[in-house]
Amino acid sequence: MAAPVGPMKFWKPGTEGPGVSITEERQSAAESTGVSVIYNPYASLSIEQQRQKLPVFKLRNHILYLVENYQTLVIVGETGCGKTTQIPQYLAEAGWTAEGRVVGVTQPRRVAAVSVAGRVAEERGAVLGHEVGYCIRFDDCTDPQATRIKFLTDGMLVREMMADPLLTRYSVLMLDEAHERTLYTDIAIGLLKKIQKKRGDLRVIVASATLDAEKFRDFFNQNETNDPSKDTSMILTVEGRTFPVDIFYIQSPVPDYVKSTVETVMKIHQTESDGDILAFLTGQEEVEAIVSMLIEQARVLSRSGMKKHLRVLPMYAGLPSSEQMKVFERVSHSVRKVIVATNIAETSITINGIAFVIDCGFVKLRAYNPKTAVECLVVVPVSKASANQRVGRAGRNRSGKCYRLYTEEDFEKLPQSTVPEMQRSNLAPVILQLKALGIDNVLRFPFLSPPPAQSMVQALELLYALGGLDKHCRLTEPLGMRIAEFPLNPMFAKMLLESGNFGCSQEILSIAAMMQIQNIFMFPPNQKAQAIRKHRKFAVEEGDHLTMLNVYEAFIKHSKSSQWCQEHFLNYKGLVRATTVREQLKKLLVKFKVPKKSSEGDPDPVLRCIVSGFFANAAKCHSTGAYRTIRDDQELHIHPTSVLYAEKPPRWVVYNEVIQTSRYYMRDVTAIESTWLLELAPHFYQEGTVRTRHRHQMVSLLYSQLLYLKLFLFPSSIFLLFDGNRNKLGCNSFKGI
DNA sequence: CGTTTTTTG
């Protein structure tokens, strides 16, 4: 096993060393997405024979026994063990779907729910949507009478609880990929724990990676005695079926992982036999830089007579989908594919045929500063769990190698797992959702990982300001309940609900829908200037909201033509999605009897309506040329993607969100009149100085949860990025009060 | 004056 030679030196940790052995690495590699069913080495066997070959089959009766006797089962299912497709079927065969009951399986991502449902339906010889179905936003493929095994996104499960708080139709719920700790998985986990107390018959199966198994078991265990025979939860491990992956570390730290990635790719290409390469980087810019460097080097190589060619492909979420599809294309034997990707390739997509993985050791994550209520994107070291997940992207169809561009010593210093999303998110939608589910005292909600107290305060303050909560922190009727019903952030929901009063619900619907889609404007690297010129046609001086409205209306006027989109460098799929989102939102407005009206081209009511939802996000331009928020005097700038960027800056603006990268940037910005703030949010802004008196009011709310939090808790000022950061989490969390 | 990790309802 020759390591690459030259400036890049790797070594494989020996079994005697401090490092983990290869087998251990594989065991701790997190589970794959449900898309893993693509690869099937037993395709020539009958479906029944294939099912029996899966590692999980040997444990079929054991699993059924445990589900029968324990309320919660934590399954540590390694990659390729077959748990996602098989366990629901075992349960159905054992009678858990008798008398109209349903076995539900949740997935964090839509595609996974659909593809696994398809595979299971096929195995059962069923038509998808009958006995086996799936339910994701915009696509309910189930039959209320016939469906027995139902795959759904965890977000959908939380939504279902609004109609049926005890999930009475379900006999078993399996939460797949729970170790990913996505926001909705965590909410579902807390809610299921509560439901189990009222429904002793409900069974929960948590599918997780090794690392978190005990945490899940202890969380669900209702046994308060020391007698383990009374435990209500249990762990079961199912071995996987993957190929060995050798891990190599770099000998000494590299100053520039971009350069090192390029060098490592070239070394692999020149010294290793067949097999595609997957490199993990942190962002679009890095990916594109490496792609062009590699193409350059590959040219030099082929000129010098190298027979084997390199096909270099970028992969990130912002890439047009036609470009994304290229990474799945098969290439001839004389070509080696190199895919340079962001963390999209870690869980969201699975590429077959990867033999070599290069891991730069960093990841770009969204984090939330609970003190300033600003989200930021930060590049941080990956967690061990992520690094192992990256390793696992090789070894799916054959043995492989993983090159880590950091030392083994540094690997050991990495945090065990990434901080759960719950602890690095804006909690306003979460709190509202919980309140709508009847959980009034959100402080006592069983969070698997409690979020920072300050995030709670921010969320409660915002919801109060929007009128969704009253001064006792209770959900208001009907406003609060209605805001919660929208699948949107509360500010958008409030804006929509107000749109009837401004006589512009048509326009606001289009704006709200468009704002949910990222990357509407596309910039193909080679035609960037041309694209910007085309985009300028839609721009208006009022700002991004009305610009997006223009785009949407033009799209409709041109009969939703994909060709028209291409000509104008617009994201066709995104625009189609905007129309779907708009339909869904429109139904809710009809339900709440918001009159259908148009301002007939008058921008004024539309802008005022935007302010009625986003008044809290107002900023003023100062003589320095920089903006500052009204709430906190925080310095802000207009994001370079805004149409107001490089224009004469308007004195007052509102924005949808702030994102901190190199500076604090406002995204989706619209010019407003300061008088509108006083007019439309008199409870939030005072006349004269336009300073907030909101906080003042909040502190006067006796007995409110908010006051409770404010008086008793230490405010946090540090971003919580890693679960391992015990001290910081300890002082910021409200657990135990 | 200088840019978007990734999901989900």
Side-chain angles (χ1 to χ4, degrees), chain A residues 92-144:
Chain A
E93 288 154 9
W96 286 93
T97 56
E99 292 153 23
R101 290 177 305 168
V102 177
V103 169
V105 184
T106 71
Q107 295 288 331
R109 285 166 291 279
R110 296 157 50 90
V111 273
V114 177
S115 68
V116 186
R119 172 66 194 180
V120 173
E122 190 190 329
E123 285 188 10
R124 303 194 69 72
V127 177
L128 189 58
H130 292 164
E131 185 204 357
V132 182
Y134 65 86
C135 185
I136 60 178
R137 187 182 180 189
F138 304 128
D139 191 3
D140 180 356
C141 183
T142 61
D143 179 328

Side-chain angles (χ1 to χ4, degrees), chain A residues 241-376:
Chain A
R241 197 169 58 193
T242 51
F243 297 87
V245 179
D246 292 330
I247 296 171
F248 299 87
Y249 293 91
I250 209 153
Q251 273 180 332
S252 55
V254 296
D256 177 356
Y257 62 69
V258 170
K259 220 172 122 200
S260 303
T261 302
V262 174
E263 289 168 0
T264 309
V265 168
M266 297 317 288
K267 286 282 179 250
I268 293 170
H269 186 50
Q270 286 166 287
T271 57
E272 295 281 354
S273 56
D274 283 5
D276 297 336
I277 305 171
L278 171 63
F280 285 99
L281 280 302
T282 70
Q284 178 177 329
E285 212 179 339
E286 281 172 12
V287 168
E288 291 295 355
I290 289 172
V291 166
S292 54
M293 283 155 89
L294 281 173
I295 289 173
E296 182 56 35
Q297 298 233 357
R299 247 186 232 132
V300 174
L301 265 191
S302 65
R303 256 187 246 125
S304 71
M306 172 105 172
K307 285 206 186 91
K308 187 142 182 136
H309 293 284
L310 271 186
R311 183 161 161 74
V312 188
L313 298 163
M315 182 73 203
Y316 48 87
L319 204 65
S321 61
S322 56
E323 298 292 309
Q324 287 189 351
M325 293 315 285
K326 288 182 184 166
V327 307
F328 301 108
E329 283 170 15
R330 283 179 161 273
V331 289
S332 82
H333 278 296
S334 62
V335 178
R336 191 199 299 271
K337 257 199 304 194
V338 183
I339 294 146
V340 187
T342 61
N343 43 0
I344 191 174
E346 209 175 288
T347 49
S348 303
I349 61 155
T350 298
I351 304 158
N352 280 313
I354 299 295
F356 307 98
V357 164
I358 302 167
D359 174 12
C360 76
F362 289 88
V363 64
K364 198 181 278 185
L365 279 185
R366 186 171 49 80
Y368 179 76
N369 181 339
K371 197 178 178 189
T372 56
V374 169
E375 296 193 313
C376 56

Side-chain angles (χ1 to χ4, degrees), chain A residues 203-216:
Chain A
R203 294 295 187 268
V204 173
I205 300 175
V206 182
S208 141
T210 327
L211 278 176
D212 323 274
E214 289 181 14
K215 185 175 173 106
F216 286 119

